[in-house]
Amino acid sequence: MSQAPVTVVGIGADGWPGLAPGSQEALRRAEVIVGGPRQLDLLPPDCAGERVAWPSPLRPAVPGLLAAHTGRRVCVLASGDPMFFGIGRTLVDALGTSDGLRILPHPSSVSYACARLGWPLDDIEVRSLVGRPLGALSAALHPGRRLLVLSAGADTPAEVAALLRDRGFGPSPLTVLEQLGGARERRVEGTADGWNHAPGDALNVIAVDCRRAEDALRLPLTPGLPDEAFEHDGQLTKRHVRAATLAALAPAPGELLWDIGGGSGSIGIEWMRAHRSCRAVSVERDPVRAARVARNAEALGVPALRVVTGAAPAALAGLPTPDAVFIGGGLTAPGLLAACWDALPAGGRLVANTVTLESEALLTDWYRRHGGDLTRLAVAHAVPVGGFTGWRQAMPVTQWSVVKPAESVVARAEPVVEPAESVVPPATGPLTPAGPLTPAEPLVTPAESVVPPAEGETDA
């Protein structure tokens, strides 16, 4: 017997009286009604269908639950608008299509909140903390912005206030709106700095009018966050080089980055801050640094950054296919560049930075074979020199960036020559990408390939 269409009915705190006639009729006709206990309790006795509470965890149970009621008229209850941070998306993912769904929305809590506050709906940012880490809210904090936060429960307002204080947004006014649209609707106001309200109703939305403290560090949307935004031990891609590196990596929504030699995690973190759907895996062999990467990701609003503790290329096994790869440390580890190149799909980007001659020779070799851009980045800062001012030069960074073509042949072994040839190439004409190497072209010694520098980001 085929599956009858599943009807998804949005319901608010106003319960049964707030439903449109079509939604009420669908629930009366349903043979099975699925929802949370709070939602099921809002229905009158004449909704006679079998009532089934969602199991926990919910998402993996959806296919089996629907299959168990094949051929019956099923209604699923959702809070507000089912397709706005709701069960509607989960059902579409489980069914693989929306063809078998009939969705009857109700005004969302966000619509109610904007109506109560007089905030234009198209001028706010919405973040949900239902099943999501609190730290993700940090990336949305910018002076003058208005946020609506969907709470995970009664304790969420206090947790949000604490995070705002910790991130330098203590002066921000907060408004907690409970049971929106219902008979027990309530409003609680204060600032993050002075928040001392007891937990209220679990069904609430938090409105945040973002205001930064005067001494708080400003974190822009552009790549190149201040170096002091990161906890680090010196293994940090410095601000100006980091901005150039992110420009070469060119993050786009939904894309995945491998950040190899994570160090402080700055490249992966800024990649994920480019768009909330961007993903990154940071590979760092030092457990202390790997823990630091996770702390930085939490503090800077991207707690979903995945940290893999291990040495590349072995630690890359089993990782999902990347859209881009950044190598900031361990470049001369045997087989690392080839493994990264192999992993990239056509159109994928690879960017590698180094400050050592040995790794520069390796990048020069790959540039000859695969093209791309070979760039030297040099940054100097003005510093006091006695009673005057002079320039202090940071170590120059050599950067190779390349887009993998549709058809690419990968050399399976690193080329080998005598040590003297690895640093100073013979004068053979201009340095240009010219296809496969000839035996006379400079390569890298086995010794340099086997002993990598300390894995981590360049501190140029």
Side-chain angles (χ1 to χ4, degrees):
M1 187 178 295
S2 62
Q3 172 69 51
V6 175
T7 301
V8 186
V9 176
I11 190 168
D14 48 358
W16 183 259
L19 291 178
S23 296
Q24 292 181 346
E25 179 62 22
L27 288 164
R28 287 194 183 99
R29 296 184 66 250
E31 297 172 281
V32 179
I33 304 174
V34 184
R38 178 184 62 81
Q39 296 161 338
L40 293 171
D41 288 344
L42 294 173
L43 302 183
D46 61 339
C47 292
E50 177 188 353
R51 301 189 183 192
V52 179
W54 284 117
S56 182
L58 185 152
R59 183 176 290 271
V62 168
L65 191 150
L66 295 179
H69 299 289
T70 297
R72 304 177 73 186
R73 291 189 299 273
V74 176
C75 262
V76 174
L77 289 173
S79 294
D81 186 342
M83 298 305 294
F84 187 71
F85 291 102
I87 189 64
R89 176 174 180 171
T90 303
L91 291 170
V92 171
D93 291 345
L95 295 172
T97 177
S98 60
D99 293 346
L101 294 178
R102 177 180 175 229
I103 297 174
L104 304 175
H106 185 276
S108 69
S109 58
V110 168
S111 294
Y112 275 118
C114 285
R116 300 295 187 264
L117 297 165
W119 289 4
L121 183 58
D122 59 347
D123 195 36
I124 63 165
E125 184 160 358
V126 180
R127 293 294 175 110
S128 175
L129 295 181
V130 180
R132 295 170 173 85
L134 177 67
L137 189 60
S138 299
L141 301 179
H142 299 282
R145 294 297 296 161
R146 290 169 168 175
L147 308 179
L148 287 179
V149 182
L150 307 182
S151 277
D155 295 327
T156 305
E159 294 169 352
V160 168
L163 180 135
L164 290 170
R165 292 193 297 269
D166 186 59
R167 301 295 188 262
F169 282 81
S172 302
L174 301 182
T175 303
V176 177
L177 302 160
E178 300 176 353
Q179 289 285 335
L180 280 163
R184 296 187 293 116
E185 182 173 321
R186 189 172 80 114
R187 177 173 179 153
V188 181
E189 297 178 320
T191 65
D193 276 336
W195 194 264
N196 57 4
H197 298 284
D201 194 277
L203 190 63
N204 70 79
V205 175
I206 307 164
V208 183
D209 190 357
C210 296
R211 298 183 189 175
R212 189 179 75 240
E214 291 183 2
D215 59 347
L217 189 65
R218 187 173 187 275
L219 301 179
L221 289 173
T222 53
L225 293 177
D227 292 346
E228 55 267 35
F230 299 92
E231 176 191 346
H232 64 90
D233 60 359
Q235 292 297 315
L236 173 72
T237 302
K238 298 300 192 293
R239 183 179 192 174
H240 299 90
V241 173
R242 193 182 333 121
T245 300
L246 266 295
L249 287 168
E255 290 190 326
L256 173 67
L257 171 74
W258 286 0
D259 179 8
I260 301 173
S264 66
S266 65
I267 296 294
I269 288 168
E270 293 218 43
W271 168 280
M272 291 184 67
R273 283 175 61 92
H275 192 272
R276 67 167 74 180
S277 67
C278 286
R279 300 162 294 139
V281 179
S282 180
V283 179
E284 171 55 58
R285 70 181 181 184
D286 185 313
V288 174
R289 287 179 179 162
R292 188 178 293 120
V293 170
R295 290 196 298 272
N296 280 330
E298 174 77 22
L300 292 167
V302 289
L305 174 70
R306 179 181 173 186
V307 181
V308 173
T309 304
L316 307 179
L319 294 183
T321 300
D323 298 287
V325 175
F326 171 66
I327 307 176
L331 254 176
T332 54
L336 176 58
L337 266 172
C340 293
W341 189 258
D342 274 349
L344 279 174
R349 289 91 65 202
L350 190 150
V351 178
N353 291 355
T354 187
V355 296
T356 70
L357 292 175
E358 291 79 8
S359 292
E360 182 177 288
L362 184 62
L363 293 183
T364 301
D365 166 30
W366 278 72
Y367 169 69
R368 286 180 182 275
R369 285 184 278 152
H370 299 289
D373 291 307
L374 193 63
T375 307
R376 175 159 293 175
L377 305 171
V379 178
H381 296 275
V383 296
V385 180
F388 299 91
T389 304
W391 293 107
R392 175 170 293 165
Q393 185 78 39
M395 292 182 69
V397 175
T398 299
Q399 180 182 93
W400 179 51
S401 60
V402 64
V403 177
K404 186 174 181 179
E407 295 182 4
S408 177
V409 178
V410 178
R412 296 297 170 183
E414 302 292 351
V416 177
V417 296
E418 294 299 322
E421 297 175 336
S422 66
V423 176
V424 183
T428 56
L431 181 61
T432 57
L437 285 175
T438 64
E441 291 176 301
L443 303 172
V444 180
T445 67
E448 293 163 348
S449 303
V450 173
V451 185
E455 185 162 322
E457 299 173 321
T458 173
D459 69 347

